[in-house]
Amino acid sequence: MNQMKELDIRELLMACVYRAWLIVLCAVVGAFAAFLYTDNFVTPMYRAEVSFYVNNSSSDSGPNHSISSSDLATSQRLVLTYVNIIKSETVLDQVVMKSGLDVTVPQLRSSMTAASIDETELFKVYVTHADAQTAADWANAIADYAPMELEMVMVGSKASVLDRAKIPGAPYTPNTSRNITAGALVGLLLAVAVIIIRTLMDVRIKCEEDLSCVPDVAILGSIPDFTAPAAEPYSFRRNDAETGRR
Amino acid sequence: MGMFGNLFKSKKEIKEASYMNQRRNILGNGSNFQVQEAYKALRTNIRFSSSGNKFCVTSGLASEGKSITVLNIAISFAEAGQKVLLIDADLRRPSQARLLIENGAPGLSNVLAGLCDDETAIRKEQMNNLDVMFSGEIPPNPSELLSSPAMEDMLKRLESKYDYIFIDTPPVNIVTDACVVGRLMDGVLFVVRQNQTDRESVKHGVAQLNMAGVKILGFVFNGADVKNNRKYKRYKYYKSKIYGYQSYRHGVDERGRGSVDKK
C-alpha cells in the first residue's frame, strides 16, 4: 500500500459494534477456556505464614530501658538482613535437621518467601505447598527453629515469633475468578484487534467517497441494491435487502 | 435451506439459479421505485456528459453487475423513447442471452467473421424500442475479431439506424477487449460494486483504459446501500431522506405511506 488508509475512529467503532456478537463470543470462549485450564491444569497451592518480631537484644539492658527511635531504626535494618539470611543454607539446614521434616533444603527454600512488613520491625515468612497441612508444618518448623539460627548468625539480635502458621483453609492460587476475568478480557481484546486489523486492511470500495481514489472520474450513477419481488415461481436465494432480514 | 442447497445441485443448476436471481434485477414494472429512479438519473447524466451515442460498459473484474447494468441502461433509454441497440461484445462469457433467455447465436461473432449480415444477428424489438445483438457463438479469437476493421465497419453501419448503442464488454482487468472496443466508443462506463470491488482494481482498470486512449465517462456505483445498513461505513440516518423521496411517487402520501410499495 503506498498510502496509509485514513484512520477513522468512528468507522472502526462501527465495525466493532456491528460485530459485537463476535466480541462477546470470544470473551465467553476466553473465559471458559481460562476456567477449564484453571480447574484442570493448575494445582491449587496453599500458603501458610508465620510472622516474626525483630529487635537487637542489646536493648534488653534493663527494665527501665525504653526503646529509642534509633533502636527501631536498627531493628528495621535487621529485618532486611534477616529476610535474606533466613533462606541461607546454614539456617535452613538446621531447620530441616532439627524439625525432622521430610524435605530437602532446596525444596524448602523454593517454597518459601520472606518479606518485611512495610517499615516495621516485623517480617513474615510464607510457605506455599500443594498440601495445606504440609505448608503449615513447614512454616511452623521455620518458626520453631529459625530464630535460634538467626541469632547465632547475627549475634546480638533477637527474633521472636509473633504468629505461628495456621493450616490454610482456602488455596492461595490459583485465583479462579481473576483468571476467568483475564480470559474474558484476552478474548475480547483479541476479537477487537482482529476486527480492527481486518477493517483497516479492507480496501474494497465501501462508499462513493472511496471512488475518489481515482480523481477526475465522475460518478455517473448510484444504483441501490434492491431486488424486485420474485416474479418467477422459483426463488433460490432472496437478495432482497428489504425483506431478507439479516 | 439457503446455501446448503448448493451441495446437492449440479454446477449447471447452480449457475442457472444464479442467473435466475440476476434476472430479478432486470428493470421492469416490478422494479423498486428507487432503482428505477436511479437508472433514470444515470440516463440523464450519460446524456449530459456526452454528445455521442455509442457507449460501452465494463468493470474491473467479473461478477460486479456489469451485464445487468448495461442491460438496464439500455432498457432505461428505450423506455424514454430512444431507439436502442444493445450488443453483447463479451465473446468469452456472454451473459445477455442467458439473462434474456434467448439463443445467443447468431450474433456479433458471426457478423465479425463475415458469416452473417447485421439483420440476421439483430433481434428486433426484444423489448419496446430495444434491439439486441447477442454474442453469437464463442469464437477462438475474440480480441482479434473485436479489433478487426469488421467491428468498426459494423458500428458505422449501425450508428445511423439507432439513437443509442450500448455494448457489454468483458472486465478490463482480465482481458483487453474493453480497451479495444472502447476506442471506437464515445465513452466507457466503469461499473463498480459496493463491498466487492477493491481500490486497486479500480485504479488499475482506469489506468488501462487511459493508456488505451479510451474516454472514460464515469463510474456506475452498483449495489449502493440506501437504508442505514450497518455494513455501510458512514452510519448515516437515511430514513428522512426516504420519506422525502417517496412523497414524489404516484399514489403515495407525503409521509411515504401508500399501497403502491408492495407489489
Side-chain angles (χ1 to χ4, degrees):
Chain A
M1 287 193 276
N2 351 4
Q3 301 153 303
M4 278 291 286
K5 186 176 162 170
E6 186 184 271
L7 207 97
D8 189 334
I9 305 285
R10 257 203 343 177
E11 177 189 343
L12 296 175
L13 209 69
M14 288 319 300
C16 289
V17 165
Y18 176 65
R19 291 190 180 78
W21 62 270
L22 179 70
I23 297 178
V24 169
L25 181 73
C26 283
V28 168
V29 167
F32 193 62
F35 172 73
L36 281 180
Y37 171 74
T38 309
D39 220 32
N40 298 323
F41 290 98
V42 179
T43 344
M45 299 288 269
Y46 294 85
R47 193 171 83 161
E49 62 182 59
V50 293
S51 48
F52 298 89
Y53 174 75
V54 173
N55 67 325
N56 44 345
S57 53
S58 59
S59 64
D60 291 340
S61 52
N64 291 328
H65 180 91
S66 54
I67 301 181
S68 67
S69 71
S70 63
D71 287 334
L72 292 177
T74 319
S75 300
Q76 284 172 28
R77 304 300 287 276
L78 277 176
V79 164
L80 295 176
T81 320
Y82 270 5
V83 157
N84 285 297
I85 301 179
I86 203 163
K87 293 180 94 162
S88 67
E89 192 73 32
T90 325
V91 174
L92 291 183
D93 207 37
Q94 291 297 310
V95 169
V96 168
M97 221 172 41
K98 290 187 181 168
S99 65
L101 285 174
D102 179 23
V103 64
T104 67
V105 170
Q107 268 180 319
L108 185 57
R109 180 182 296 127
S110 62
S111 74
M112 65 186 273
T113 347
S116 60
I117 303 178
D118 294 328
E119 289 174 26
T120 60
E121 311 92 68
L122 301 169
F123 75 95
K124 282 193 179 175
V125 172
Y126 304 100
V127 173
T128 333
H129 197 272
D131 177 45
Q133 180 70 53
T134 318
D137 290 343
W138 290 5
N140 283 327
I142 296 175
D144 293 335
Y145 301 107
M148 223 180 312
E149 304 308 315
L150 289 173
E151 287 156 19
M152 286 212 292
V153 171
M154 288 214 60
V155 180
S157 65
K158 189 164 161 53
S160 337
V161 176
L162 182 63
D163 278 330
R164 288 176 64 79
K166 292 192 276 280
I167 303 176
Y172 176 65
T173 60
N175 185 340
T176 314
S177 52
R178 189 191 59 189
N179 283 7
I180 291 180
T181 320
L185 212 65
V186 166
L188 188 140
L189 287 175
L190 266 179
V192 169
V194 165
I195 290 175
I196 288 182
I197 291 175
R198 281 190 53 164
T199 310
L200 285 178
M201 286 189 28
D202 192 348
V203 279
R204 294 177 303 177
I205 306 283
K206 297 251 211 3
C207 65
E208 295 183 16
E209 279 79 3
D210 288 343
L211 282 172
S212 60
C213 66
V214 182
D216 301 332
V217 181
I219 299 178
L220 288 184
S222 210
I223 318 292
D225 190 19
F226 287 109
T227 320
E232 290 86 13
Y234 181 89
S235 175
F236 185 67
R237 190 181 94 202
R238 295 205 66 96
N239 237 349
D240 199 329
E242 276 186 299
T243 68
R245 311 227 167 264
R246 270 181 266 173
Chain B
M1 194 153 69
M3 297 288 269
F4 290 105
N6 266 332
L7 293 175
F8 302 105
K9 292 187 165 20
S10 70
K11 215 169 180 178
K12 197 167 164 208
E13 280 177 300
I14 296 173
K15 236 184 157 183
E16 174 53 34
S18 103
Y19 271 109
M20 219 179 284
N21 214 24
Q22 291 177 50
R23 277 180 213 126
R24 289 154 68 198
N25 284 315
I26 298 180
L27 216 57
N29 284 330
S31 293
N32 183 281
F33 172 68
Q34 279 153 338
V35 171
Q36 291 182 337
E37 285 308 305
Y39 276 108
K40 285 181 189 169
L42 176 58
R43 177 179 76 203
T44 311
N45 287 339
I46 294 175
R47 288 171 81 159
F48 281 120
S49 58
S50 173
S51 55
N53 68 339
K54 306 187 296 294
F55 304 103
C56 76
V57 174
T58 186
S59 66
L61 299 169
S63 302
E64 288 175 346
K66 163 182 57 70
S67 299
I68 284 282
T69 304
V70 64
L71 175 57
N72 285 343
I73 291 175
I75 293 175
S76 191
F77 273 81
E79 279 177 354
Q82 306 289 326
K83 191 145 174 47
V84 180
L85 173 65
L86 170 67
I87 303 179
D88 189 356
D90 189 345
L91 303 179
R92 299 162 197 265
R93 287 180 58 190
S95 324
Q96 301 299 340
R98 293 295 290 271
L99 287 172
L100 294 170
I101 315 182
E102 291 281 349
N103 191 346
L108 179 64
S109 61
N110 306 91
V111 174
L112 294 179
L115 297 173
C116 83
D117 62 7
D118 303 344
E119 294 304 309
T120 327
I122 296 179
R123 313 299 160 83
K124 293 232 177 277
E125 291 292 306
Q126 184 75 23
M127 294 184 194
N128 235 1
N129 287 332
L130 176 63
D131 294 353
V132 183
M133 182 191 291
F134 294 115
S135 60
E137 271 104 12
I138 297 183
N141 54 345
S143 284
E144 287 74 12
L145 283 178
L146 290 172
S147 53
S148 67
M151 181 72 179
E152 206 170 347
D153 293 338
M154 182 196 78
L155 284 172
K156 285 209 184 90
R157 291 196 296 273
L158 298 172
E159 228 181 339
S160 46
K161 296 188 186 166
Y162 291 96
D163 295 325
Y164 281 95
I165 299 180
F166 292 102
I167 306 190
D168 186 5
T169 56
V172 64
N173 285 332
I174 301 184
V175 289
T176 186
D177 299 2
C179 295
V180 162
V181 173
R183 288 176 60 89
L184 305 171
M185 299 284 109
D186 297 318
V188 168
L189 291 156
F190 199 113
V191 173
V192 169
R193 186 165 215 154
Q194 192 203 40
N195 279 333
Q196 188 174 319
T197 315
D198 65 75
R199 294 171 198 219
E200 287 311 308
S201 171
V202 174
K203 285 192 202 165
H204 189 252
V206 170
Q208 290 280 93
L209 292 168
N210 282 331
M211 258 205 301
V214 172
K215 178 171 191 322
I216 304 178
L217 221 54
F219 291 119
V220 177
F221 190 54
N222 202 2
D225 287 309
V226 177
K227 291 198 181 147
N228 48 348
N229 184 323
R230 284 171 297 174
K231 275 188 185 163
Y232 196 59
K233 92 170 177 181
R234 308 244 184 277
Y235 192 72
K236 285 181 181 159
Y237 190 71
Y238 276 91
K239 251 191 164 169
S240 48
K241 273 197 181 177
I242 290 178
Y243 276 0
Y245 201 26
Q246 293 284 37
S247 70
Y248 281 86
R249 281 187 58 192
H250 174 73
V252 167
D253 73 15
E254 63 182 27
R255 295 274 299 283
R257 286 183 298 206
S259 57
V260 202
D261 254 324
K262 319 282 175 210
K263 280 211 173 157

